Amino acid sequence: MSQVPDWFERKFKFSFPVELHPNLRARLRGTPARLEEALRGHSHKSLTEKAQEKWSAQEHAGHLVDLEPLWLSRVEDYVAASEQLTLTDLQNRKTDQANHNARPLEEILTEFRTARERLLKRVEELDTSLWTRAIPHPRLKTPMRLVDHLYFVAEHDDHHLARIWELIGAGGPSFAR
C-alpha cells in the first residue's frame, strides 16, 4: 500500500508571498534532473512493473510528460485573463492510453525535459504583473495566482516522484514494498 497521499485528496493553501516565484522556478527547473536520477540505472522490468494495477514508475514519468501541455495552457490562461483555468481530464485517459511502458525511457526523459524547458521559458517571458493575477482552478474551486499555479505544478511533480521512488524502492526504509 502506498504511503504517498492521494493527489485528489490534497488541500492547498496559497498564502505564500509572490516573491517566492524564483524559488518555484528553480524547483520546477530541477524536476527533470530528479526524475532522471530516480529512473536511470533501473531495469526495464522494475520501471514497468505495476503495483495493485496502478501506474508503474515509467508510467508516472510519462504522466508528467502528458501534463506539460496543460501547465502551459494554464500559463496562457493568465496571459489571456481567462475566467477559469483550463480544464483537465480527471480520469487521466491520456496516460492510461499512452502505453508509456512500451516507450524507451530516454525518450520519455528527453520529452519531459524539453517540455519543462518550454514551460519555464514561457513563464520567464511574462510581465511581472501576471504573478499576482488570480484565476479560479476548476477542480479546487479556489482562485490561484500564477505563482500558486507554479507551486501546484511543483507539488504535482513531487507527488509523482515520491510514487516513483516508492515503486522502485529508492525511497529509503520508510517506503515498504
Side-chain angles (χ1 to χ4, degrees):
M1 178 122 159
S2 176
Q3 294 182 351
V4 178
D6 182 67
W7 178 251
F8 292 116
E9 299 300 319
R10 290 277 313 269
K11 305 290 183 221
F12 294 90
K13 289 188 179 182
F14 303 117
S15 59
F16 53 88
V18 71
E19 292 80 17
L20 288 180
H21 70 84
N23 302 45
L24 289 168
R25 291 194 330 258
R27 187 172 162 195
L28 292 168
R29 184 167 278 108
T31 303
R34 292 186 298 143
L35 183 64
E36 290 165 9
E37 180 184 342
L39 296 176
R40 283 199 174 124
H42 294 278
S43 71
H44 179 74
K45 182 182 185 297
S46 69
L47 293 176
T48 58
E49 185 176 43
K50 291 179 177 265
Q52 297 145 0
E53 297 303 312
K54 303 268 186 183
W55 289 339
S56 68
Q58 188 156 311
E59 287 170 319
H60 279 278
H63 176 68
L64 292 177
V65 173
D66 293 340
L67 284 190
E68 285 299 299
L70 173 67
W71 306 144
L72 188 56
S73 291
R74 288 182 175 175
V75 168
E76 296 305 332
D77 291 338
Y78 289 96
V79 174
S82 298
E83 294 293 315
Q84 177 178 280
L85 293 174
T86 300
L87 293 168
T88 191
D89 170 20
L90 297 177
Q91 276 65 52
N92 293 304
R93 285 181 285 254
K94 184 175 182 179
T95 301
D96 289 335
Q97 296 167 359
N99 198 12
H100 290 298
N101 282 339
R103 297 177 63 198
L105 175 61
E106 286 304 317
E107 182 179 286
I108 293 169
L109 295 174
T110 299
E111 193 175 333
F112 179 64
R113 182 174 288 278
T114 300
R116 181 51 58 91
E117 287 171 1
R118 187 178 312 115
L119 173 67
L120 290 167
K121 181 180 185 301
R122 181 62 179 127
V123 165
E124 289 163 4
E125 296 169 350
L126 299 179
D127 185 85
T128 56
S129 66
L130 293 179
W131 287 103
T132 57
R133 178 171 285 164
I135 300 175
H137 184 280
R139 179 177 63 86
L140 299 177
K141 306 292 188 219
T142 187
M144 289 175 67
R145 301 167 296 173
L146 175 57
V147 69
D148 302 327
H149 169 60
L150 296 182
Y151 171 75
F152 186 81
V153 174
E155 286 294 301
H156 183 265
D157 289 349
D158 288 352
H159 168 81
H160 288 283
L161 283 168
R163 280 294 292 137
I164 288 168
W165 289 324
E166 186 177 64
L167 286 165
I168 60 177
S174 66
F175 286 137
R177 272 202 108 185

